[in-house]
Amino acid sequence: AVEEGEGLIDVYFGCGCFWHVQHEFVEYERALLGRDGADLSSRAGYAGGKALDKNRVCYHNMRSVADYGKLGHTEVVGLQVPAGRVGDFADKYFDLFVKYENVPGFGTLLERNDPGDRGGEYRSVIAIPGGARGPLFSRIEEANAGRFKLVAGAGNEPDTFMKNTVYVMDTKAFPFHTAEIYHQFHNDFK
């Protein structure tokens, strides 16, 4: 298997709604790592907030119990990848952004594919062990190729829409929280 001896690490990626991102990473796990079925690790979830509610993070709900947005989290997809493949998955992540040309006041922008979703719950993030100070950050920078401003995440950040910014989080300081079962595997809104 591709993963043998390479050491699996936890990472997560977010840029708008997690359903599209999860679909893309499931397909990439299949293509790049030969995973299928129960071996697929991409899960929709929440991360990047500074707080939990009784050790919980949940989707918006009528009682506002552990609401991920109110707790400062964003929608992300968490997965386990071989450490040596972090750059490949970062390449895939940056390719998820759509190019918008002739944006009044901005010119050309790369932006998430669902610009209708707004707010900190949809901000663009990447998380790796150690974040922007970790040993894998150079692979994120290389994959980014200067397209976005990479900023060390401190938690509870605002939306990145129209800012060409991606927050780089530390997976230890800002761990991934798997979303509810009903949010998993929506096959890209289809």
Side-chain angles (χ1 to χ4, degrees):
V2 174
E3 303 157 345
E4 289 179 19
E6 293 182 330
L8 292 176
I9 60 167
D10 292 320
V11 297
Y12 59 81
F13 300 90
C15 60
C17 178
F18 46 33
W19 290 343
H20 174 69
V21 177
Q22 183 184 38
H23 170 78
E24 293 295 327
F25 280 106
V26 162
E27 294 304 318
Y28 203 56
E29 282 187 273
R30 285 181 172 137
L32 186 65
L33 303 177
R35 292 178 178 168
D36 201 20
D39 292 332
L40 294 166
S41 67
S42 295
R43 298 291 184 269
Y46 317 106
K50 294 180 182 178
L52 299 175
D53 180 349
K54 297 180 183 173
N55 208 30
R56 298 176 299 182
V57 180
C58 303
Y59 195 70
H60 306 303
N61 56 81
M62 291 175 50
R63 294 184 183 181
S64 293
V65 173
D67 184 296
Y68 80 100
K70 291 179 181 181
L71 295 171
H73 296 272
T74 187
E75 292 188 13
V76 298
V77 172
L79 61 156
Q80 290 190 321
V81 301
R85 295 293 189 149
V86 165
D88 295 321
F89 280 85
D91 280 336
K92 180 64 173 175
Y93 170 76
F94 288 116
D95 286 347
L96 296 178
F97 290 85
V98 176
K99 186 176 188 177
Y100 293 94
E101 297 189 52
N102 303 317
V103 178
F106 294 94
T108 300
L109 284 175
L110 288 172
E111 199 47 75
R112 60 186 179 242
N113 75 338
D114 59 348
D117 288 334
R118 301 283 177 90
E121 294 106 308
Y122 303 103
R123 64 189 180 268
S124 299
V125 298
I126 291 177
I128 53 175
R133 292 194 172 105
L136 298 172
F137 181 64
S138 62
R139 294 182 186 169
I140 303 302
E141 287 181 306
E142 186 178 318
N144 179 40
R147 292 178 277 188
F148 293 90
K149 180 179 175 186
L150 300 176
V151 177
N156 291 46
E157 287 84 9
D159 199 354
T160 54
F161 188 71
M162 303 290 279
K163 294 188 169 77
N164 266 37
T165 298
V166 173
Y167 291 104
V168 181
M169 312 302 288
D170 178 350
T171 52
K172 184 175 182 183
F174 299 97
F176 172 78
H177 304 277
T178 305
E180 298 80 2
I181 292 172
Y182 67 88
H183 279 304
Q184 305 302 326
F185 306 108
H186 280 255
N187 198 24
D188 199 16
F189 305 108
K190 297 178 177 116

